[in-house]
Amino acid sequence: MTTDLVTYYGQTDLINQLVDNYGAHLEKLDRETKLLLRVTLSTYIVMQQEYTPTEYPVSTALEDALCELVIPDSIPQDLYDVCSVLNGLTTLEAETLLEALQHQIRWGNARQAVN
């Protein structure tokens, strides 16, 4: 079993679309984009307690989470593109992606180089 796949617990059509665009390990996304996606997905999950995916899409979570933390012009275009793919994401799918991103950032293809 490869442990830095996007998900190793199961795939959905939405996650499969993400894999088709960015690779089985999201290898087309750099470390910074994965870190920012993790912040965005965490915000999205919190807000799903009050809203539905159509009322509060991932793209809104991106704006809410990152525009205060990062200069909006410096947010990678790939992150906007990923959020567009994730339109209609369920909380369970978001949690699954967070788990995979955490693994990739700590142990996988997006870990920080050791000097």
Side-chain angles (χ1 to χ4, degrees):
M1 174 172 82
T2 302
T3 56
D4 56 337
L5 288 170
V6 173
T7 64
Y8 38 89
Y9 295 114
Q11 299 285 129
T12 64
D13 290 340
L14 193 61
I15 292 174
N16 284 336
Q17 185 178 356
L18 190 67
V19 167
D20 289 344
N21 292 347
Y22 299 99
H25 306 270
L26 299 180
E27 62 271 10
K28 293 180 183 175
L29 299 176
D30 63 15
R31 177 180 170 80
E32 176 189 11
T33 302
K34 288 182 179 187
L35 288 166
L36 295 172
L37 179 56
R38 194 169 59 169
V39 172
T40 301
L41 290 173
S42 294
T43 302
Y44 178 76
I45 290 167
V46 168
M47 296 306 290
Q48 289 307 300
Q49 295 177 70
E50 299 294 326
Y51 301 99
T52 67
T54 53
E55 294 172 325
Y56 191 88
V58 177
S59 57
T60 302
L62 169 64
E63 293 172 14
D64 289 350
L66 298 180
C67 286
E68 294 297 321
L69 295 174
V70 200
I71 299 169
D73 293 340
S74 69
I75 295 172
Q77 182 60 47
D78 279 342
L79 187 55
Y80 286 106
D81 297 342
V82 166
C83 289
S84 177
V85 169
L86 296 178
N87 188 30
L89 188 72
T90 67
T91 302
L92 181 59
E93 289 168 323
E95 292 280 6
T96 302
L97 286 172
L98 277 173
E99 199 166 351
L101 288 167
Q102 179 62 31
H103 179 82
Q104 291 173 17
I105 289 165
R106 178 67 175 110
W107 304 105
N109 63 10
R111 71 179 171 266
Q112 189 169 15
V114 178
N115 295 329

